[in-house]
Amino acid sequence: RYIGASSMWAWQFSKAQYTAKANGWTPFVSMQNHYNLIYREEEREMMPLCDDLGVGVIPWSPLARGKLTRPWDEATHRSELDSRQGLYVPEDRTIVEEVAAIAEARATPAAQIALACDQHATLDVCLTDDANRRQQVRVSLFWFQVPDC
């Protein structure tokens, strides 16, 4: 039997995992959380907790509802109907533009760049919050060494 959890605070997940083990119940094997190159809050507590507990992480919205796959202002049928587009703010545009620039320079789809960052998220190369976001993307991609298509 396998069981997973989704979208909660790290303290809640820790408590749920502890309760399951204390009662002889099936422990959680996965956490599905909101995580992508724009929204990286999970790196603070949830990712280290999951690493410590041996729990797999399955990000939802790894391409930021498509924002990381196309120019910031480009609308699609889905984006026009998507009530959750508000998860991303104008300040995030810099990240989208930098991903696009890196993708163009490598002749690689922007989605591949964004997913490579997600794939390697648990490496200890995360930068501090005060780091310039543009520099953060460049340094991270240097470490991830995204292959060309």
Side-chain angles (χ1 to χ4, degrees):
R1 174 185 274 182
Y2 300 99
I3 187 168
S6 180
S7 296
M8 63 181 72
W9 297 108
W11 69 265
Q12 293 171 315
F13 185 58
S14 180
K15 195 172 182 179
Q17 189 76 313
Y18 172 81
T19 301
K21 289 183 178 182
N23 289 294
W25 303 338
T26 302
F28 295 92
V29 298
S30 66
M31 166 52 69
Q32 184 180 29
N33 51 354
H34 182 206
Y35 183 76
N36 55 57
L37 190 53
I38 294 174
Y39 186 83
R40 297 174 61 185
E41 178 63 28
E42 299 298 298
E43 291 175 358
R44 292 179 193 268
E45 294 184 5
M46 187 59 81
M47 299 292 223
L49 175 64
C50 288
D51 186 47
D52 181 62
L53 297 175
V55 171
V57 176
I58 307 166
W60 63 263
S61 196
L63 296 174
R65 308 190 84 70
K67 287 281 191 194
L68 292 166
T69 66
R70 61 181 176 272
W72 181 263
D73 293 322
E74 184 178 309
T76 65
H77 180 68
R78 176 180 180 232
S79 68
E80 291 173 355
L81 301 175
D82 189 352
S83 64
R84 290 193 170 199
Q85 283 294 317
L87 289 171
Y88 307 105
V89 296
E91 293 79 15
D92 298 330
R93 180 185 194 124
T94 303
I95 295 171
V96 172
E97 290 172 349
E98 193 63 25
V99 168
I102 293 166
E104 184 177 341
R106 291 177 171 264
T108 302
Q112 183 177 353
I113 300 297
L115 291 175
C117 290
D118 286 348
Q119 177 184 1
H120 298 287
T122 57
L123 294 176
D124 293 327
V125 296
C126 301
L127 303 176
T128 60
D129 292 333
D130 61 344
N132 175 284
R133 283 187 163 192
R134 180 178 297 253
Q135 186 62 25
Q136 214 169 12
V137 172
R138 287 181 192 270
V139 170
S140 295
L141 289 171
F142 169 78
W143 285 106
F144 301 149
Q145 297 181 5
V146 178
D148 290 334
C149 290

